[in-house]
Amino acid sequence: MNVEELRDYCLSLPKAEENAPWTEPQYQMLVTFTVGGKWFCLADIEKKFIDVKCTPEQIAEIQEKYTGAFPAWHMNKQHWLGIKLESDMPDEVIRRLLKEGYDLIVNSFSNKSREKLGLQ
């Protein structure tokens, strides 16, 4: 998966948004993908890697299976997985992990919040 495919997929998820929250020059190539203001993916466009929200069970399984998976950069290693884009990890696995990370965030909202966000 390349950066443009990643971006297109993330933004295809309902109510997902892309943000560039940092203004410091060293962080200008970092973007986040959010739903309801909460991150489900952090992407380094220049270095071509992402951190994606995951369950702890998925992290160990994926890291054992793919060399392109590693502990997430500057994130909670129990709930975030680092993935090198254009690596040995198939695009369909990356898309599945992104969708599951998105779903983890959406499911963390109350029913009232999901309704307010238009996610019902």
Side-chain angles (χ1 to χ4, degrees), residues 34-45:
T34 63
V35 59
K38 291 188 169 191
W39 300 8
F40 65 91
C41 178
L42 166 75
D44 186 316
I45 304 302

Side-chain angles (χ1 to χ4, degrees), residues 23-34:
T23 56
E24 297 86 359
Q26 70 268 31
Y27 298 121
Q28 288 183 350
M29 296 306 289
L30 296 176
V31 296
T32 62
F33 294 96
T34 63

